[in-house]
Amino acid sequence: MKNRPIFFQVLGVIIALIITYSINLNRRMSANWMGPYLSAAHNLEWSGDFNINIEEVIHFKELNVKNQDSYKFKSRKNLTHYNHNPIGYAYLIKGASMLFPFVGHQMAIILLQCLVFLLVNILFLKLFKLNNRQKWLFFILFSVNPLVLSFVPFNFYYFWQIIPSVIFGYLLLSKKPKLIILFALILILPFIIITRPTVVFSLLLVVYLLYKRTTIPFVMFGVIYVLIISFWLFQPIKKNIWHTVYTGFGAYSNSNNIELNDNSTYKLYTDYTGKKLNASIGGNYYDTEVIDKYSEITRSETLRIFNESPITFIKNAFVNTLQGFSIGYINKAGDTINYFIAFSGLILIGSMLFFKKYIWFLMIGLSIGTFTLYYPPIQSYMYGVYLLLALYILSTFFKIKFYYS
């Protein structure tokens, strides 16, 4: 039967997702960070503020995982502005809860992510004239890869970084890209941008490929639509970028005893002010004066370390970037293992340059370069790269044909 491999592969993906969800049931994003998104999704106004009901979020935090998955948030009146994360994921949750109204709102977004992942696999497995060997290699490298699967039935926004990579891979490997597929992917792009702004530079290369492989009117529509919706829905936040930069120093052994741990960096605020920084919902972390003071403290400490040892900063950025061309940084694995991962990334970069696959080098570099200058590419941050790596390996070493290079 001609489609038998696809049938078994799709069935395999479904089974793998169910197993992954079951195994990682207690490996969840803290309700302290997920709860606000769920509350905002059900108090959402188009282009409105990120508003949440603190009492309901606190109630949600007190539930066990099973009850959190079945919990349905309600529209409330006594709302508080939430200033910590970008608003985009709230729109995706709202859409998921409309698509799956029969389950709790957290489960709805998990189901939507699983559905999109399944469709992505079907797209690439049926996309080009693969022989059975190549199909099964893609299946192993990507479809049922435990590292890839771990962020699909996971209750946070990391999964959605895959969308720019899907568009990129489809444009490169499709003999004749179908505009209806590209149209569907572009429709959700603004929501990805305002969910995870770090994808924005990789979209420059996506636009370039759209120009090369589709029509000018279609490219103009895509760019104008994405810009208008992104700016329309964008909401400013008070997230402290210096917190992330300072914490990033802790990825490797350092003389300042910094750890790759948020609590380690929060301690700076206590050391400077004598007051504890409380990041729990309703805590002082969300007060404008407190976060401004915290930003000032972390900025000062970060610049002090940079001025004392700029070479360390450059070394970390270089190693971080190399790791982004491999499986990424592994927290608490130690310097030796993470330097080895960086070396493996260097080898992959060498192969890209040797085989003149510059476009893959640029796409991966643009995907990770927005954060590896100051923070290691932990798996959640670089999730969108795994599809690129799988497709690059298949196209380079197993002779899957490019239709643009």
Side-chain angles (χ1 to χ4, degrees):
M1 189 170 79
K2 184 178 180 181
N3 292 323
R4 182 171 291 174
I6 294 290
F7 172 79
F8 285 114
Q9 287 156 357
V10 170
L11 181 61
V13 173
I14 294 172
I15 293 172
L17 286 171
I18 293 171
I19 293 173
T20 302
Y21 175 79
S22 302
I23 291 175
N24 295 312
L25 192 59
N26 293 315
R27 177 186 168 268
R28 293 296 187 91
M29 176 55 69
S30 167
N32 192 66
W33 308 118
M34 183 58 178
Y37 274 120
L38 294 164
S39 179
H42 297 280
N43 294 283
L44 199 59
E45 295 181 2
W46 184 260
S47 80
D49 290 337
F50 196 143
N51 291 323
I52 67 171
N53 181 272
I54 292 178
E55 291 76 14
E56 190 167 25
V57 173
I58 292 173
H59 172 68
F60 178 77
K61 288 174 61 177
E62 294 171 349
L63 302 176
N64 60 33
V65 171
K66 181 180 179 180
N67 289 333
Q68 285 179 352
D69 281 352
S70 62
Y71 187 81
K72 293 188 177 184
F73 279 73
K74 300 174 180 64
S75 179
R76 304 283 184 172
K77 291 184 178 180
N78 52 329
L79 301 176
T80 301
H81 179 64
Y82 181 79
N83 60 9
H84 183 69
N85 275 322
I87 196 172
Y89 198 47
Y91 284 94
L92 294 171
I93 293 170
K94 182 66 174 178
S97 62
M98 294 171 65
L99 186 62
F100 301 106
F102 46 86
V103 297
H105 297 144
Q106 179 163 268
M107 180 56 72
I109 188 63
I110 290 173
L111 287 176
L112 180 60
Q113 290 170 186
C114 290
L115 176 61
V116 171
F117 182 74
L118 189 62
L119 292 175
V120 167
N121 278 278
I122 293 171
L123 175 65
F124 283 101
L125 287 168
K126 292 180 68 69
L127 178 58
F128 30 74
K129 300 295 183 182
L130 295 177
N131 58 40
N132 284 338
R133 177 169 171 257
Q134 291 167 333
K135 287 182 179 181
W136 285 110
L137 282 169
F138 178 83
F139 180 76
I140 293 169
L141 283 174
F142 181 75
S143 304
V144 293
N145 183 330
L147 181 56
V148 174
L149 285 167
S150 64
F151 290 99
V152 184
F154 183 71
N155 61 328
F156 214 56
Y157 54 59
Y158 302 123
F159 165 77
W160 296 94
Q161 296 169 109
I162 198 175
I163 299 301
S165 301
V166 172
I167 301 173
F168 175 85
Y170 179 67
L171 286 168
L172 272 188
L173 300 170
S174 174
K175 184 176 183 180
K176 189 176 181 181
K178 295 181 180 180
L179 295 186
I180 187 64
I181 293 176
L182 292 171
F183 178 78
L185 291 167
I186 288 171
L187 276 182
I188 62 173
L189 260 186
F191 302 97
I192 309 306
I193 293 172
I194 61 171
T195 294
R196 196 66 174 160
T198 54
V199 305
V200 68
F201 287 136
S202 65
L203 293 176
L204 298 175
L205 203 51
V206 169
V207 171
Y208 172 74
L209 282 181
L210 283 170
Y211 167 72
K212 287 293 186 179
R213 302 232 55 211
T214 64
T215 65
I216 291 179
F218 186 80
V219 176
M220 291 179 64
F221 156 76
V223 171
I224 292 171
Y225 164 77
V226 169
L227 288 175
I228 289 176
I229 301 300
S230 297
F231 280 110
W232 194 2
L233 300 183
F234 172 78
Q235 295 292 323
I237 60 174
K238 294 289 290 185
K239 196 165 188 176
N240 179 14
I241 183 62
W242 295 104
H243 166 93
T244 306
V245 179
Y246 181 88
T247 307
F249 283 123
Y252 311 97
S253 300
N254 62 89
S255 59
N256 292 279
N257 296 317
I258 302 170
E259 299 177 10
L260 193 69
N261 181 296
D262 288 336
N263 291 328
S264 174
T265 309
Y266 292 154
K267 187 175 179 294
L268 279 178
Y269 184 81
T270 304
D271 293 341
Y272 268 76
T273 67
K275 300 176 182 178
K276 184 177 180 180
L277 190 65
N278 182 4
S280 295
I281 287 296
N284 62 352
Y285 182 78
Y286 305 95
D287 295 341
T288 299
E289 290 184 6
V290 171
I291 199 66
D292 286 346
K293 180 64 177 177
Y294 183 50
S295 297
E296 178 186 326
I297 292 169
T298 47
R299 176 182 179 276
S300 174
E301 283 296 305
T302 299
L303 294 179
R304 177 187 65 79
I305 294 170
F306 177 77
N307 290 330
E308 289 177 355
S309 182
I311 298 301
T312 299
F313 184 89
I314 295 169
K315 182 268 293 181
N316 287 359
F318 180 67
V319 173
N320 290 343
T321 302
L322 292 181
Q323 290 167 350
F325 284 83
S326 183
I327 63 172
Y329 177 90
I330 301 177
N331 197 11
K332 299 181 180 179
D335 288 357
T336 301
I337 291 176
N338 281 307
Y339 287 144
F340 178 79
I341 292 171
F343 179 70
S344 68
L346 180 63
I347 292 175
L348 203 67
I349 290 173
S351 74
M352 291 175 181
L353 300 179
F354 178 80
F355 291 112
K356 298 181 179 180
K357 301 297 179 67
Y358 306 124
I359 198 164
W360 292 94
F361 172 75
L362 286 173
M363 184 60 180
I364 295 174
L366 290 171
S367 297
I368 62 174
T370 51
F371 63 90
T372 54
L373 295 178
Y374 56 86
Y375 200 83
I378 58 176
Q379 284 76 23
S380 56
Y381 280 24
M382 64 170 283
Y383 184 77
V385 171
Y386 292 121
L387 175 63
L388 299 175
L389 291 172
L391 291 175
Y392 167 73
I393 290 170
L394 286 170
S395 63
T396 302
F397 302 107
F398 298 97
K399 302 186 185 303
I400 293 177
K401 184 179 179 181
F402 281 90
Y403 289 101
Y404 182 81
S405 62

